[in-house]
Amino acid sequence: VLTIGLGLSYGPQSALYAEMFPANVRYSGVSIGYAIGAIFGGAFAPLIAELLLSRFGSTTSIAVYVAVVGLISLVAVSLVKETKGNNLRVEEAHQDYLRTHPQADNK
């Protein structure tokens, strides 16, 4: 029950990330962006929560921190441009791949 929210966010996340980068750098762009986000967003969160708890002596400060980070995330996602109708250059990347890997052409 607690992971229902994760499914709702992870489902469209892959499509969002894929459309943010051109096809020829998509894997690198998504993996580097995701890794940096995980480091700054996830790795430091427990340290910040411990600092807030020791400084203020209440979990309310942690709740405020999580709410602020959530608000920043909402604003950031809202600023992502819609790619509907844009050429994502998938066909061009496929043709480049077939030129460099002729054995992969199954036609």
Side-chain angles (χ1 to χ4, degrees):
V1 172
L2 296 175
T3 60
I4 291 172
L6 286 175
L8 294 174
S9 65
Y10 283 147
Q13 190 176 42
S14 60
L16 172 71
Y17 286 161
E19 291 180 353
M20 291 176 76
F21 298 96
N24 59 336
V25 295
R26 184 165 296 149
Y27 290 125
S28 299
V30 170
S31 62
I32 292 169
Y34 192 84
I36 290 173
I39 290 169
F40 288 116
F44 295 120
L47 298 172
I48 294 170
E50 174 60 30
L51 177 73
L52 291 171
L53 184 62
S54 65
R55 179 162 178 133
F56 296 106
S58 170
T59 57
T60 304
S61 60
I62 299 171
V64 170
Y65 164 68
V66 170
V68 168
V69 169
L71 184 62
I72 291 169
S73 298
L74 178 66
V75 169
V77 170
S78 298
L79 294 175
V80 173
K81 294 181 181 177
E82 173 66 45
T83 59
K84 182 178 181 181
N86 289 356
N87 182 3
L88 298 178
R89 303 177 197 269
V90 174
E91 186 61 35
E92 293 169 18
H94 180 68
Q95 294 303 323
D96 287 342
Y97 178 79
L98 290 179
R99 274 193 290 281
T100 58
H101 300 85
Q103 71 278 9
D105 193 5
N106 294 337
K107 293 181 183 176

